[in-house]
Amino acid sequence: MLNLSGEKKKKVGAWLLLSMIGMLVLLPFAPAVVMAAEEAAVEEAKEPEKAKDVFYKEEGEFGIVSGPPAGELVYPDDYGSYGDFQSRTIIWISNQQHLYFGSFVLAVPMFVWVMELIGILQYEKNPKVGKKFDDLAHEMMKISLTAYSVTAILGGILIFSFLALYPGFFRYLSGIFKPVMHIYALLFILESGVLYVYYYGWDSMNDGNGDWKWSHLSLGTILNAVGIVLMVMANTWVSFMMSPAGVDAEGRFLGDIWKVMHNPLMVPVVVHRILGNAAFGGGVVAAYASFKFLSAKTLEEKAHYDWMSYIAMFMGILALIPLPFAGYWLMREIYAYRQQMGITLMGGLLAWVFIMQATMIATLFITVNYYLFQAMGRMPGSERYYKYFKVLLAILVVATIAWLTPHTLVMTPAELKAMGGAQHPVVGNYGVMSAKNTAINTMITTTVVSFIIYQRSNFKLTVPWAWKGNIFLAMLILGAEVNILFLGVYGYFIPANVRIGLSVPQVASTLSVLFIGVAVNTKMLKGAESIGEIRWGKMSVRGAYALFMLAVAFTWTMAVMGYLRSSVRLHWHVNEILRDNSPWAFTNPLGYAGNINSLNVLLFWTMLLFVFWLSALAGAGKKKVEAEEAAAAAVGKAVPAGSH
Amino acid sequence: MSKFKIKAFFAQLLALILAAPMIAWAGGGGGPFDAGTFSAIKVGLVVFAIFSAWLIKDKMGLPLPKLIQAPLLWIICYIGFRVILQPPIPFSLLAMYMGVCTVCIFLYCSLTRPSWEEFSHPIAVMLREDHATAKMSRYATFLIIPGLIAAQTYNQMLPKFGEPIELRTVHPAPPASINVHKKLVTLQTAENPFRIGDDGNYLKVGDEQKYFGGNAWTGDVPKFLQEVQQGGVVFFGTAGCFFCHGDNLDGKGPFSFAFNPIPANFADPGTISQLQETFVFWRVAKGGPDLSREAFPWASAMPPWEKHLTTNEIWKVIIFEYWHTGFFPRTWG
């Protein structure tokens, strides 16, 4: 442990730390410098051959051919296998597991950073509350650290699987991304270095809200920045596979790695994944807290984990709310990139996987609302609002039914004839985007309403303008919902390009309820009379199970959507560039895909429960030592006389 | 709780359950009501059900125990989706809807601590207590639940003679380009050449709205409506699309029910309005024989019209279809 006593030592320590981090930050640029020198040498040596970019037009249309063509992969030479087992499934599982843990270790530091910041800011006002947040952040970092090594192991397994089972594909992809591959690897070293200093320096650098604590938080900032860069880089590979750029029609690299990375789907994929990661991180932390809540022996412990689960859920939901809009944007970009891809995803071959995803999204929103209803059970005064719960639930049910109704129905030919066509005249209207947008906006608005009720459930408003505020809130919510419904119906009567534009005012209505509604509600609660303190630890077990369900639904959604994003390439490794010539190039039947996705979810949670158990083991050891120390200290002390 | 109130309640409930299939039958095509009246009756029925529930609960002071409410709600949902909603929805959709309802009814019963206690208390009594009523209900429960499962298993195991379920890809992804009359048409970028405005320039999608509702067959009409008119000639004359797709383009032409699956209903917001014009061009030109690999089970009786129509006729009939239905093709601009 660092010995930070003495002003001089502190300074030396701080300089050493900063220089180390500075060196680590510069490290990833070394390969880029070498690459640039190499490229310059190649350019000087011969007259370059130019070729047309498959995506970039106008100025950037032509580039210097800087790599071999993708060629044609041959089975079995370019593919490996273990007996009759599908190699694709092995890659699928190892990739998904790596992604789960990768997301977890990138998301938790985001969460931890916010908690630490709140802790520092609260410290001056109320050191006890500040410490509570700080301890929460520290506890989460501990879990993340164990998960970090699991991520690295899974990354190794993934690389070995690629080398053993898809050597031809891996050769091509690593050839294209050669300029940044080592940057990626070196960034990992930087990430690890910062992570270890951040975690192990937690106690040593903790001086409440002093300079050391702020320096520690800065380390958290670097950690998150590097984490996001890492994720962006990994995302460029998958988005390149979907929508290649920076190469010619033969797949030859055209010398500009930025064009390869900045392919048409890169930005929406990155935005969607960052938000998804944050929501997933919140969900998993909430599941951890629920796990501890359910297994807690004392009310004190229960109270702590009840509070922790609430905070984590809240953070997760903050990221979840904009997520459908980011997904909508991604789909729009996919359609704009290739009409076929969009149709395959939403109306064609993979449409039913979208229904699976829709089920999961609906589960997420219903679960969040249900959790809030359960959480209100521990708030005195919330009984006043019980009568509204069933109304909110009924709205959610109606929205869910519209949200889930598929465009392509599974039916027997007899059912098709009885229905009079492929689309039902009534519920068929719910199978298109206008209805889906209306449904999801309604679900989010309902969730915000539940939260507004939650905020005020144990308070009695005292501001003189309370009744005006209530009328304003009611008008805001009602107005937003009427607007959402009206635009949803109007969407059936206008061209698709205008209809897509309608999603903006619909989202604006939802976000108005979120931001203005919550802000006004918070303002109304200023100086409000408390009906009673929140009875942390007294939440029903159903609330804890709901949070578990929430986290599992997150992971299931990730599995389903990851599968969907990947399989939309159909028989291409790299869309329209490198064809999949293995025997596993076909699209999986729904049942098989569902089973593997579920297996992935199960595997992840089994490993994660092991990680939770490990952290509990460390905690139990620490508690035992503390108890022994306390017992040792008590020896020889006077014991008050008492009856037996 | 007076006997009168209980009787009144059950009488209303029974009337509601019995009325539903009768009203469904009355509006099911051969009944005395037209579709509009029937829809109004259905809305009225739902309003009446909600009003009755409010009357029974709040005005008659007869709050039903949660354990009774739950199955009752489930039955009402089932009747709504199975009987009142017409034409009947496929079983797969019914299963999805009922799945949502089942989960949400459980959530409804456990929304708050008091409601959960109200719901779970009789179950706990049934499982734990030793008095006669508890014992009898315990035996009944342990007979009924396995009995229901056995009946369900038996039904599933029974050999069925109906056609199997098909997961048909209604809108398969089109190829990047197609060759029609020896010309390459890139589906991502191609435009309908007959989308022409009054000024002779290309008419942006959406701008044709001003021509909707007009009569394309009267004397001197704008250029766009002239193309519509010629497209109509193809639809009703040259190609005779109406035999299958119907006079109103609703997929109910005189030949339609001879096909399996029945022809596409263009009047539905889920068909041509979701697709680019080039997609429709591909389908008309190439028909069933050239469906893409993913279009399982490749069930389409659509002829490849490129063998009978010119490229221009195909584009014109597409203009006509959008004009007639009042839909706009999908664009990304």
Side-chain angles (χ1 to χ4, degrees):
Chain A
M1 191 178 281
L2 285 170
N3 181 5
L4 300 172
S5 57
E7 207 51 42
K8 204 173 174 184
K9 276 186 183 175
K10 266 188 188 178
K11 272 189 183 171
V12 173
W15 275 110
L16 271 173
L17 187 66
L18 283 176
S19 347
M20 193 181 80
I21 289 168
M23 276 167 65
L24 283 170
V25 168
L26 289 175
L27 202 56
F29 294 102
V33 173
V34 177
M35 287 296 301
E38 258 180 36
E39 277 166 21
V42 170
E43 269 180 38
E44 276 172 23
K46 56 178 183 184
E47 183 65 31
E49 183 194 348
K50 287 197 168 185
K52 215 171 166 183
D53 196 300
V54 285
F55 174 73
Y56 281 97
K57 300 280 175 260
E58 292 163 9
E59 272 182 33
E61 191 172 6
F62 290 93
I64 297 165
V65 175
S66 313
E72 183 124 341
L73 299 182
V74 181
Y75 182 81
D77 299 354
D78 292 311
Y79 296 93
S81 61
Y82 298 117
D84 290 337
F85 200 76
Q86 278 197 36
S87 297
R88 176 173 58 172
T89 307
I90 299 173
I91 290 287
W92 183 357
I93 294 173
S94 37
N95 218 332
Q96 186 66 57
Q97 294 306 319
H98 179 56
L99 184 122
Y100 275 146
F101 274 90
S103 303
F104 181 64
V105 296
L106 292 179
V108 169
M110 291 183 200
F111 178 83
V112 166
W113 186 87
V114 176
M115 291 301 109
E116 191 181 6
L117 179 67
I118 296 174
I120 296 173
L121 297 176
Q122 287 284 329
Y123 194 81
E124 201 158 294
K125 272 192 264 174
N126 189 343
K128 215 173 157 187
V129 175
K131 191 178 175 316
K132 206 175 165 187
F133 275 98
D134 197 66
D135 286 347
L136 169 67
H138 195 186
E139 186 174 356
M140 280 327 301
M141 214 53 223
K142 185 171 72 184
I143 296 165
S144 175
L145 206 70
T146 319
Y148 195 74
S149 52
V150 180
T151 313
I153 294 165
L154 288 167
I157 292 174
L158 179 62
I159 292 276
F160 292 138
S161 307
F162 270 127
L163 291 173
L165 304 174
Y166 284 85
F169 159 74
F170 195 69
R171 189 173 55 242
Y172 175 68
L173 208 66
S174 53
I176 296 284
F177 283 94
K178 185 180 145 199
V180 287
M181 283 214 102
H182 276 89
I183 296 181
Y184 184 79
L186 292 170
L187 274 172
F188 248 110
I189 299 178
L190 175 62
E191 168 95 351
S192 312
V194 178
L195 177 75
Y196 288 125
V197 178
Y198 186 62
Y199 177 70
Y200 288 110
W202 199 290
D203 290 330
S204 324
M205 295 172 82
N206 195 350
D207 55 359
N209 57 355
D211 294 347
W212 275 104
K213 191 62 188 165
W214 279 103
S215 307
H216 187 259
L217 186 73
S218 310
L219 282 177
T221 313
I222 297 172
L223 182 66
N224 277 303
V226 176
I228 288 173
V229 173
L230 274 169
M231 192 187 66
V232 169
M233 289 181 82
N235 283 345
T236 60
W237 305 340
V238 289
S239 56
F240 172 79
M241 285 165 69
M242 283 177 86
S243 57
V247 292
D248 70 354
E250 289 175 42
R252 295 181 297 180
F253 176 47
L254 297 180
D256 189 344
I257 189 66
W258 174 242
K259 279 186 182 168
V260 174
M261 294 170 77
H262 189 237
N263 51 66
L265 297 180
M266 175 250 198
V267 178
V269 165
V270 164
V271 171
H272 195 53
R273 273 201 167 164
I274 289 178
L275 286 172
N277 266 10
F280 166 72
V284 173
V285 175
Y288 166 77
S290 301
F291 168 80
K292 300 288 273 185
F293 173 84
L294 289 169
S295 58
K297 297 279 187 295
T298 63
L299 184 62
E300 194 190 354
E301 257 187 290
K302 267 189 185 294
H304 173 71
Y305 289 111
D306 187 2
W307 172 77
M308 184 177 182
S309 64
Y310 169 70
I311 299 285
M313 188 277 316
F314 186 76
M315 294 289 293
I317 297 312
L318 273 186
L320 175 70
I321 284 175
L323 201 54
F325 309 127
Y328 187 78
W329 177 41
L330 174 59
M331 268 316 300
R332 186 185 180 281
E333 293 300 312
I334 289 176
Y335 260 105
Y337 169 68
R338 284 289 183 276
Q339 183 194 185
Q340 299 101 304
M341 265 192 183
I343 293 176
T344 300
L345 283 169
M346 300 209 73
L349 188 67
L350 298 168
W352 265 88
V353 187
F354 249 98
I355 296 297
M356 290 185 194
Q357 176 253 8
T359 312
M360 287 296 121
I361 301 285
T363 307
L364 288 177
F365 281 103
I366 291 177
T367 310
V368 169
N369 280 276
Y370 185 73
Y371 166 77
L372 286 173
F373 300 151
Q374 295 306 312
M376 277 187 250
R378 53 162 145 70
M379 296 164 83
S382 61
E383 301 80 11
R384 297 169 291 164
Y385 298 105
Y386 282 1
K387 56 179 179 268
Y388 301 119
F389 292 177
K390 52 178 178 273
V391 179
L392 293 169
L393 185 68
I395 295 170
L396 283 171
V397 173
V398 174
T400 302
I401 281 176
W403 174 247
L404 288 185
T405 304
H407 184 237
T408 306
L409 297 171
V410 176
M411 52 192 161
T412 62
E415 285 175 327
L416 179 93
K417 280 199 169 175
M419 215 169 75
Q423 270 81 33
H424 191 278
V426 181
V427 295
N429 290 310
Y430 304 141
V432 293
M433 218 54 219
S434 270
K436 305 296 178 202
N437 279 347
T438 308
I440 193 70
N441 278 292
T442 302
M443 279 195 243
I444 298 174
T445 307
T446 312
T447 308
V448 177
V449 173
S450 295
F451 180 68
I452 287 175
I453 294 176
Y454 177 89
Q455 269 189 314
R456 54 165 68 189
S457 64
N458 64 330
F459 288 105
K460 208 168 155 187
L461 301 176
T462 52
V463 283
W465 51 278
W467 66 275
K468 284 184 199 163
N470 281 335
I471 290 174
F472 174 78
L473 272 181
M475 295 307 287
L476 178 77
I477 294 161
L478 204 68
E481 191 49 42
V482 167
N483 193 35
I484 290 167
L485 283 173
F486 169 74
L487 293 175
V489 176
Y490 181 55
Y492 287 93
F493 301 99
I494 49 171
N497 57 342
V498 185
R499 183 164 64 235
I500 289 166
L502 286 188
S503 62
V504 177
Q506 279 189 321
V507 171
S509 302
T510 307
L511 294 182
S512 304
V513 177
L514 174 63
F515 293 116
I516 303 174
V518 173
V520 169
N521 197 44
T522 311
K523 191 89 182 152
M524 285 168 80
L525 285 168
K526 213 164 188 185
E529 189 186 314
S530 171
I531 297 172
E533 283 297 306
I534 301 177
R535 296 183 295 244
W536 292 112
K538 291 281 185 186
M539 187 180 63
S540 73
V541 289
R542 293 186 303 286
Y545 287 124
L547 285 185
F548 231 93
M549 181 70 216
L550 183 79
V552 173
F554 270 131
T555 44
W556 227 316
T557 312
M558 286 169 80
V560 170
M561 294 314 279
Y563 165 72
L564 195 70
R565 190 202 47 69
S566 186
S567 52
V568 73
R569 285 180 282 110
L570 301 175
H571 50 273
W572 295 101
H573 286 311
V574 177
N575 194 34
E576 294 164 19
I577 298 282
L578 185 65
R579 203 184 161 100
D580 183 351
N581 285 330
S582 72
W584 314 289
F586 61 91
T587 300
N588 285 300
L590 279 175
Y592 185 78
N595 284 342
I596 299 294
N597 284 332
S598 305
L599 176 71
N600 267 322
V601 173
L602 200 68
L603 259 178
F604 171 67
W605 280 100
T606 311
M607 286 198 275
L608 201 64
L609 284 176
F610 173 70
V611 170
F612 289 171
W613 175 76
L614 267 185
S615 71
L617 203 63
K622 200 179 163 192
K623 270 183 199 163
K624 201 175 163 190
V625 170
E626 279 171 3
E628 279 170 6
E629 279 174 1
V635 173
K637 279 189 180 172
V639 179
S643 61
H644 294 281
Chain B
M1 195 184 294
S2 74
K3 278 188 178 173
F4 166 75
K5 281 180 178 177
I6 296 173
K7 279 180 188 168
F9 163 68
F10 281 108
Q12 285 194 45
L13 191 72
L14 201 65
L16 208 65
I17 293 171
L18 288 177
M22 285 171 70
I23 290 174
W25 166 81
F33 304 116
D34 59 39
T37 318
F38 181 48
S39 299
I41 291 173
K42 281 195 280 191
V43 172
L45 189 73
V46 172
V47 172
F48 173 70
I50 295 168
F51 176 72
S52 302
W54 171 76
L55 207 67
I56 292 162
K57 185 177 171 290
D58 290 353
K59 290 291 152 191
M60 294 171 70
L62 265 181
L64 270 182
K66 282 277 181 307
L67 201 58
I68 308 265
Q69 276 186 38
L72 208 58
L73 270 174
W74 197 92
I75 291 168
I76 290 170
C77 291
Y78 185 79
I79 290 172
F81 290 127
R82 193 79 193 91
V83 184
I84 297 182
L85 186 60
Q86 289 293 327
I89 54 173
F91 177 76
S92 63
L93 195 59
L94 180 72
M96 276 173 71
Y97 287 171
M98 288 315 296
V100 172
C101 291
T102 308
V103 170
C104 289
I105 288 169
F106 174 75
L107 297 185
Y108 163 69
C109 293
S110 61
L111 272 180
T112 60
R113 202 180 296 269
S115 69
W116 173 245
E117 274 165 14
E118 188 190 330
F119 177 72
S120 61
H121 180 69
I123 300 174
V125 168
M126 183 268 288
L127 288 171
R128 286 184 200 148
E129 300 294 325
D130 258 346
H131 53 75
T133 321
K135 269 186 183 171
M136 285 310 289
S137 47
R138 190 155 60 224
Y139 296 147
T141 307
F142 290 150
L143 278 173
I144 290 168
I145 291 177
L148 285 174
I149 294 170
Q152 174 68 11
T153 314
Y154 175 78
N155 267 334
Q156 275 196 340
M157 298 297 286
L158 268 183
K160 307 242 178 357
F161 303 102
E163 292 169 86
I165 282 178
E166 267 178 8
L167 184 55
R168 184 165 166 259
T169 309
V170 179
H171 292 155
S177 58
I178 54 171
N179 218 314
V180 178
H181 300 135
K182 295 180 183 165
K183 271 197 172 169
L184 190 76
V185 181
T186 307
L187 298 185
Q188 184 77 10
T189 52
E191 288 173 340
N192 192 328
F194 299 100
R195 183 170 271 289
I196 298 164
D198 296 341
D199 54 0
N201 292 328
Y202 181 77
L203 192 67
K204 264 177 64 182
V205 171
D207 290 351
E208 69 267 38
Q209 191 164 19
K210 60 183 169 189
Y211 302 117
F212 287 176
N215 187 347
W217 279 266
T218 52
D220 191 24
V221 289
K223 181 81 182 135
F224 181 80
L225 286 181
Q226 288 172 26
E227 309 299 354
V228 167
Q229 193 186 94
Q230 289 167 30
V233 170
V234 175
F235 192 89
F236 289 105
T238 325
C241 312
F242 77 100
F243 283 118
C244 304
H245 292 288
D247 290 356
N248 293 322
L249 282 70
D250 55 2
K252 290 181 180 164
F255 292 174
S256 64
F257 283 88
F259 293 113
N260 187 2
I262 53 181
N265 170 5
F266 302 143
D268 187 280
T271 57
I272 55 172
S273 73
Q274 299 298 318
L275 303 164
Q276 285 183 242
E277 269 180 307
T278 51
F279 184 102
V280 185
F281 181 81
W282 166 56
R283 287 292 71 240
V284 177
K286 299 292 177 183
D290 197 40
L291 273 169
S292 50
R293 286 171 65 180
E294 67 164 85
F296 177 84
W298 307 283
S300 168
M302 180 82 170
W305 285 104
E306 63 175 341
K307 295 190 193 307
H308 308 281
L309 299 175
T310 64
T311 305
N312 287 354
E313 283 173 328
I314 296 175
W315 282 121
K316 283 177 185 175
V317 81
I318 292 169
I319 285 269
F320 167 76
E321 284 166 3
Y322 280 103
W323 173 83
H324 192 284
T325 53
F327 289 132
F328 305 93
R330 166 156 278 179
T331 55
W332 302 101

